[in-house]
Amino acid sequence: MSPNWKKIVRAKQAERTARLKTDLTPSRMQRNPNTAGGDDSGSETINTSPSSDQKYLLANAKQIVEHIKNGDNDWTSERVLIAYARQAIRAQDATNCLTEVMFAEALEEARALDREFERTRVIKGPLHGVPVSFKDLYRVKGYDYSVGFTTYCDKPSDEDGELVSQVRAAGGIPFVKTNVPQTMLAYECRNPVFGRTINPWSSKHTSGGSSGGEAALLACDGSPIGFGSDIGGSLRIPTSYCGIYAIKPGHSRASIRGSRELASGFEGVRLCMGPMGRSVDDIELACRLIFGQSTKLDIWLPPLPYKEVTIPVKLKFGYYKSDALVRASPAVQRAVQETVEALRRQGHECVEFVVPDMIEAIRIFLGLISAEKFKMMFAHLGQDPKDASLLMASVAPVLPAFLRHFVAWSVRTFLKDPIMSRLILNFRGRSVHEFVALAGARDEYCRRFVREVWEAYGFDGIICPVQAMPSVPHGASTHAGVLPATTALYNVVDHPIGVVPVTRVDQAKDQLTKSWEASGNQGSPFIYSQLYEGKQPYYDAMAMHGIPVGVQIVGRHWEDEKVIKMMRVVDDALGERGFGPGSYSLTSTTKHD
C-alpha cells in the first residue's frame, strides 16, 4: 500500500530542509584569476562573508558574465553561486518559494567552470557562471518535477528538459526550482506538498500563479534569471504582483519539451515557456538563447532564432486602462496612465482604444480549457486534497445542463450580471464537435483582432493592465477565479507580451474615490462587488501599500523581438523607480505562514 499523502509531504519537505543546509563554503582559497600557471604570488583572499554578497546580487545576468569574463577580482562562478544560494535561502525563509534545492551539484558545476576558465580564459557561453532558477514543471536530471503532487514525489527526472539543456550548454548553472499552485491552473501559489508562497512585499497577499515561486525568488534577488510558463497569465500575473520583468513569447518561439504537461495533447490554448528576470537585459539575454533552439525531437518548433530588429524612433501605442470584465483598480489604472504619460514625454504617440468584444475572447478561453471537464488535470491528484482555488474548475464544468442554465438565469436576473451569466453557460464540458466549433471561433476572433486593432489603428504595440488588481489576498482565487481571464485574451490571440514594473500601490493616491466610482464601465457586477464592495473587499489600498504594479506590452504575431525593444523603450521612459537588482529588502515582509 502506498504511503498516505501527509507522510510523503513530510519526507519531501525534510529533504528540502536538508538540502538548504548544504555547505556553501568555497572549496579553497582561490588563486587570483589573472595569475598565470602555478604561481600563487599576488593571490588574494576572497571575501566570502554574507555581507560581501551584495555586489553579486546587484548585478544582472549579463553583468555577471562580463565580470567573470574580464577576470574581475573575486568574480568567479563559485563565488557568484554562493551569493545567490545564500540569498535564495533568505528568500525561502521569507516567502516559501523553493521546491527542489540543487546547491551541491550546482557548486560542482561552478567549480568546473572556474577550472576550465582558468585554463582557457574562454567563457563557455552567454550564461557562463550565472545561477539559473526554474519553475518546478521543468525537468532537471536527478530531481523531481512533482509540481506539488505527491504522485510525482520521489520520481526524479532521468534527463534535462530542452530549456535546461540549453542553459547548461550556455554555461548557466541550474541551482533551484520554484513553487507552483496545485494543477498550475490557479493564480495563487499553493499546493499540498510545498505549501503557500507569499508576496515578497506583503505577507497577506499572494505572489501570483502559476509561476509564483519563481517571481517571488527573483523579486527577493534570490536568482539572477529564471524560467516560467504561461497558458492564461501564469508568467505575467506573478511578474506584476512581485515587481519583476518577463516575456510570454508566442507559443512557437521556445521549446516546451521536457516539462510536466498536465493535459498533454491539449491544443485549444497553447502553453508558452518564457524567461523572468530583474531587467530587460535579462529578458533579452534569455530570448537570444532559447528562441527557435531545440533538438530534432521537438518537431513542432520552427527553427526561428532570435532576429535583430529595428523600431521607429517614434512609436504608436494603443492603450486601455480597464476592460469589459471588471473595472481596474485605481492603482492599476494609474500604472497605465503613468506609462502613457512617460511615453508621450519621449515623443511617442499613445491612442486609447477599446478591445473588440473582450467578453467573447474570455468566453472562448473558458470554453476551450473546460471542454474535457479538467479530467486529465485532476487525474494527477491521486490521494492529495484538492486546493480551494480549484472550486470553480471542479464544479462548474460538470453541472447538469438544467442546473447550469438555472444558475446563469439567476445571475442574470437577480444580480443583473449578463457577463457572468454568459461565462457560466460556457464554462462546461463539450463534445468533440462543439470543441472544434469553438476552436474555429477562436481563429475567427484572432482574425477580427488583427483587423479591428492592428490594421485599423496601425499600432506598434499595446499598453494595458496585467489584471484589475495589484495582487489579491490569500484565498481570493476561490471565489474570483475568473479574474485572470483578462490576461488570457492574449493567449487566445497568441500574441507576445512583455511585462514591466511601473509603480507601487500608494495608500494616499490609490483609494476608491467618487470620481473613480463614476468613471467608465463597471463590468461584471458580481466580480466588481467582490473586489471593491462589502466589509472585506479584495482591493484595499492601505493593506496593499507598496505592492508593485506592472503593465503588459503587447506585440503582433511573430514580433517577439520588437516586444523586447518596446519593453526597453517603456523601461527607459519611466526612469528610475525602485525596481531591479537590489530593490528588495528582507524586512519588506514577514515570514510566510
PDB file of all heavy atoms in Angstrom, residues 277-293:
ATOM      1  N   GLY A 277      13.068  37.863 -15.142  1.00  0.00           N
ATOM      2  CA  GLY A 277      14.314  38.433 -14.653  1.00  0.00           C
ATOM      3  C   GLY A 277      14.100  39.742 -13.930  1.00  0.00           C
ATOM      4  O   GLY A 277      12.967  40.135 -13.630  1.00  0.00           O
ATOM      5  N   ARG A 278      15.207  40.438 -13.689  1.00  0.00           N
ATOM      6  CA  ARG A 278      15.156  41.685 -12.937  1.00  0.00           C
ATOM      7  C   ARG A 278      15.491  42.899 -13.800  1.00  0.00           C
ATOM      8  O   ARG A 278      15.647  44.001 -13.280  1.00  0.00           O
ATOM      9  CB  ARG A 278      16.117  41.595 -11.741  1.00  0.00           C
ATOM     10  CG  ARG A 278      15.785  40.471 -10.770  1.00  0.00           C
ATOM     11  CD  ARG A 278      16.838  40.332  -9.689  1.00  0.00           C
ATOM     12  NE  ARG A 278      18.142  40.002 -10.277  1.00  0.00           N
ATOM     13  CZ  ARG A 278      19.302  40.149  -9.657  1.00  0.00           C
ATOM     14  NH1 ARG A 278      19.320  40.620  -8.417  1.00  0.00           N
ATOM     15  NH2 ARG A 278      20.432  39.815 -10.250  1.00  0.00           N
ATOM     16  N   SER A 279      15.567  42.694 -15.109  1.00  0.00           N
ATOM     17  CA  SER A 279      15.834  43.793 -16.040  1.00  0.00           C
ATOM     18  C   SER A 279      15.466  43.355 -17.446  1.00  0.00           C
ATOM     19  O   SER A 279      15.333  42.151 -17.722  1.00  0.00           O
ATOM     20  CB  SER A 279      17.316  44.192 -15.989  1.00  0.00           C
ATOM     21  OG  SER A 279      18.129  43.161 -16.542  1.00  0.00           O
ATOM     22  N   VAL A 280      15.318  44.316 -18.342  1.00  0.00           N
ATOM     23  CA  VAL A 280      15.087  43.985 -19.746  1.00  0.00           C
ATOM     24  C   VAL A 280      16.301  43.261 -20.321  1.00  0.00           C
ATOM     25  O   VAL A 280      16.169  42.367 -21.171  1.00  0.00           O
ATOM     26  CB  VAL A 280      14.755  45.257 -20.560  1.00  0.00           C
ATOM     27  CG1 VAL A 280      14.529  44.897 -22.032  1.00  0.00           C
ATOM     28  CG2 VAL A 280      13.521  45.960 -20.004  1.00  0.00           C
ATOM     29  N   ASP A 281      17.491  43.625 -19.868  1.00  0.00           N
ATOM     30  CA  ASP A 281      18.709  42.932 -20.310  1.00  0.00           C
ATOM     31  C   ASP A 281      18.615  41.431 -20.056  1.00  0.00           C
ATOM     32  O   ASP A 281      19.019  40.624 -20.902  1.00  0.00           O
ATOM     33  CB  ASP A 281      19.944  43.483 -19.582  1.00  0.00           C
ATOM     34  CG  ASP A 281      20.457  44.779 -20.193  1.00  0.00           C
ATOM     35  OD1 ASP A 281      20.032  45.112 -21.316  1.00  0.00           O
ATOM     36  OD2 ASP A 281      21.276  45.446 -19.542  1.00  0.00           O
ATOM     37  N   ASP A 282      18.105  41.051 -18.879  1.00  0.00           N
ATOM     38  CA  ASP A 282      17.956  39.634 -18.557  1.00  0.00           C
ATOM     39  C   ASP A 282      17.035  38.940 -19.553  1.00  0.00           C
ATOM     40  O   ASP A 282      17.308  37.828 -20.019  1.00  0.00           O
ATOM     41  CB  ASP A 282      17.371  39.461 -17.146  1.00  0.00           C
ATOM     42  CG  ASP A 282      18.289  39.958 -16.043  1.00  0.00           C
ATOM     43  OD1 ASP A 282      19.514  39.966 -16.256  1.00  0.00           O
ATOM     44  OD2 ASP A 282      17.784  40.351 -14.980  1.00  0.00           O
ATOM     45  N   ILE A 283      15.916  39.603 -19.868  1.00  0.00           N
ATOM     46  CA  ILE A 283      14.932  39.013 -20.773  1.00  0.00           C
ATOM     47  C   ILE A 283      15.516  38.850 -22.174  1.00  0.00           C
ATOM     48  O   ILE A 283      15.365  37.802 -22.810  1.00  0.00           O
ATOM     49  CB  ILE A 283      13.653  39.876 -20.818  1.00  0.00           C
ATOM     50  CG1 ILE A 283      13.070  40.045 -19.398  1.00  0.00           C
ATOM     51  CG2 ILE A 283      12.633  39.271 -21.757  1.00  0.00           C
ATOM     52  CD1 ILE A 283      12.824  38.770 -18.646  1.00  0.00           C
ATOM     53  N   GLU A 284      16.196  39.860 -22.644  1.00  0.00           N
ATOM     54  CA  GLU A 284      16.793  39.781 -23.978  1.00  0.00           C
ATOM     55  C   GLU A 284      17.858  38.689 -24.041  1.00  0.00           C
ATOM     56  O   GLU A 284      17.921  37.917 -25.005  1.00  0.00           O
ATOM     57  CB  GLU A 284      17.401  41.124 -24.369  1.00  0.00           C
ATOM     58  CG  GLU A 284      18.030  41.106 -25.764  1.00  0.00           C
ATOM     59  CD  GLU A 284      18.622  42.434 -26.179  1.00  0.00           C
ATOM     60  OE1 GLU A 284      18.209  43.480 -25.632  1.00  0.00           O
ATOM     61  OE2 GLU A 284      19.504  42.434 -27.064  1.00  0.00           O
ATOM     62  N   LEU A 285      18.696  38.622 -23.021  1.00  0.00           N
ATOM     63  CA  LEU A 285      19.748  37.610 -22.983  1.00  0.00           C
ATOM     64  C   LEU A 285      19.162  36.208 -23.074  1.00  0.00           C
ATOM     65  O   LEU A 285      19.641  35.356 -23.846  1.00  0.00           O
ATOM     66  CB  LEU A 285      20.569  37.762 -21.697  1.00  0.00           C
ATOM     67  CG  LEU A 285      21.696  36.757 -21.453  1.00  0.00           C
ATOM     68  CD1 LEU A 285      22.771  36.895 -22.524  1.00  0.00           C
ATOM     69  CD2 LEU A 285      22.297  36.976 -20.053  1.00  0.00           C
ATOM     70  N   ALA A 286      18.115  35.952 -22.311  1.00  0.00           N
ATOM     71  CA  ALA A 286      17.494  34.622 -22.315  1.00  0.00           C
ATOM     72  C   ALA A 286      16.834  34.316 -23.650  1.00  0.00           C
ATOM     73  O   ALA A 286      16.941  33.201 -24.162  1.00  0.00           O
ATOM     74  CB  ALA A 286      16.472  34.530 -21.181  1.00  0.00           C
ATOM     75  N   CYS A 287      16.145  35.296 -24.230  1.00  0.00           N
ATOM     76  CA  CYS A 287      15.458  35.055 -25.500  1.00  0.00           C
ATOM     77  C   CYS A 287      16.450  34.816 -26.635  1.00  0.00           C
ATOM     78  O   CYS A 287      16.185  34.005 -27.538  1.00  0.00           O
ATOM     79  CB  CYS A 287      14.536  36.227 -25.827  1.00  0.00           C
ATOM     80  SG  CYS A 287      13.093  36.330 -24.736  1.00  0.00           S
ATOM     81  N   ARG A 288      17.578  35.494 -26.611  1.00  0.00           N
ATOM     82  CA  ARG A 288      18.612  35.232 -27.613  1.00  0.00           C
ATOM     83  C   ARG A 288      19.095  33.783 -27.524  1.00  0.00           C
ATOM     84  O   ARG A 288      19.483  33.190 -28.536  1.00  0.00           O
ATOM     85  CB  ARG A 288      19.786  36.190 -27.420  1.00  0.00           C
ATOM     86  CG  ARG A 288      19.520  37.620 -27.868  1.00  0.00           C
ATOM     87  CD  ARG A 288      20.735  38.522 -27.684  1.00  0.00           C
ATOM     88  NE  ARG A 288      20.458  39.858 -28.155  1.00  0.00           N
ATOM     89  CZ  ARG A 288      20.575  40.263 -29.423  1.00  0.00           C
ATOM     90  NH1 ARG A 288      20.981  39.400 -30.341  1.00  0.00           N
ATOM     91  NH2 ARG A 288      20.300  41.514 -29.773  1.00  0.00           N
ATOM     92  N   LEU A 289      19.043  33.235 -26.343  1.00  0.00           N
ATOM     93  CA  LEU A 289      19.497  31.865 -26.134  1.00  0.00           C
ATOM     94  C   LEU A 289      18.468  30.837 -26.583  1.00  0.00           C
ATOM     95  O   LEU A 289      18.815  29.837 -27.217  1.00  0.00           O
ATOM     96  CB  LEU A 289      19.828  31.661 -24.652  1.00  0.00           C
ATOM     97  CG  LEU A 289      20.213  30.243 -24.226  1.00  0.00           C
ATOM     98  CD1 LEU A 289      21.559  29.854 -24.838  1.00  0.00           C
ATOM     99  CD2 LEU A 289      20.269  30.157 -22.696  1.00  0.00           C
ATOM    100  N   ILE A 290      17.183  31.052 -26.271  1.00  0.00           N
ATOM    101  CA  ILE A 290      16.195  29.986 -26.403  1.00  0.00           C
ATOM    102  C   ILE A 290      15.335  30.055 -27.655  1.00  0.00           C
ATOM    103  O   ILE A 290      14.776  29.041 -28.069  1.00  0.00           O
ATOM    104  CB  ILE A 290      15.272  29.922 -25.171  1.00  0.00           C
ATOM    105  CG1 ILE A 290      14.393  31.168 -25.069  1.00  0.00           C
ATOM    106  CG2 ILE A 290      16.089  29.701 -23.903  1.00  0.00           C
ATOM    107  CD1 ILE A 290      13.342  31.090 -23.963  1.00  0.00           C
ATOM    108  N   PHE A 291      15.195  31.224 -28.281  1.00  0.00           N
ATOM    109  CA  PHE A 291      14.270  31.329 -29.413  1.00  0.00           C
ATOM    110  C   PHE A 291      14.704  30.405 -30.556  1.00  0.00           C
ATOM    111  O   PHE A 291      15.838  30.455 -31.030  1.00  0.00           O
ATOM    112  CB  PHE A 291      14.193  32.762 -29.925  1.00  0.00           C
ATOM    113  CG  PHE A 291      13.253  33.647 -29.150  1.00  0.00           C
ATOM    114  CD1 PHE A 291      12.597  33.187 -28.028  1.00  0.00           C
ATOM    115  CD2 PHE A 291      13.012  34.951 -29.558  1.00  0.00           C
ATOM    116  CE1 PHE A 291      11.728  33.999 -27.311  1.00  0.00           C
ATOM    117  CE2 PHE A 291      12.152  35.780 -28.861  1.00  0.00           C
ATOM    118  CZ  PHE A 291      11.511  35.310 -27.731  1.00  0.00           C
ATOM    119  N   GLY A 292      13.772  29.551 -30.979  1.00  0.00           N
ATOM    120  CA  GLY A 292      13.990  28.704 -32.133  1.00  0.00           C
ATOM    121  C   GLY A 292      15.040  27.634 -31.968  1.00  0.00           C
ATOM    122  O   GLY A 292      15.454  27.011 -32.946  1.00  0.00           O
ATOM    123  N   GLN A 293      15.465  27.390 -30.729  1.00  0.00           N
ATOM    124  CA  GLN A 293      16.548  26.428 -30.479  1.00  0.00           C
ATOM    125  C   GLN A 293      15.977  25.148 -29.893  1.00  0.00           C
ATOM    126  O   GLN A 293      15.265  25.173 -28.894  1.00  0.00           O
ATOM    127  CB  GLN A 293      17.585  27.020 -29.517  1.00  0.00           C
ATOM    128  CG  GLN A 293      18.196  28.324 -29.990  1.00  0.00           C
ATOM    129  CD  GLN A 293      18.930  28.174 -31.302  1.00  0.00           C
ATOM    130  OE1 GLN A 293      19.676  27.223 -31.512  1.00  0.00           O
ATOM    131  NE2 GLN A 293      18.721  29.127 -32.208  1.00  0.00           N
TER     132      GLN A 293
END
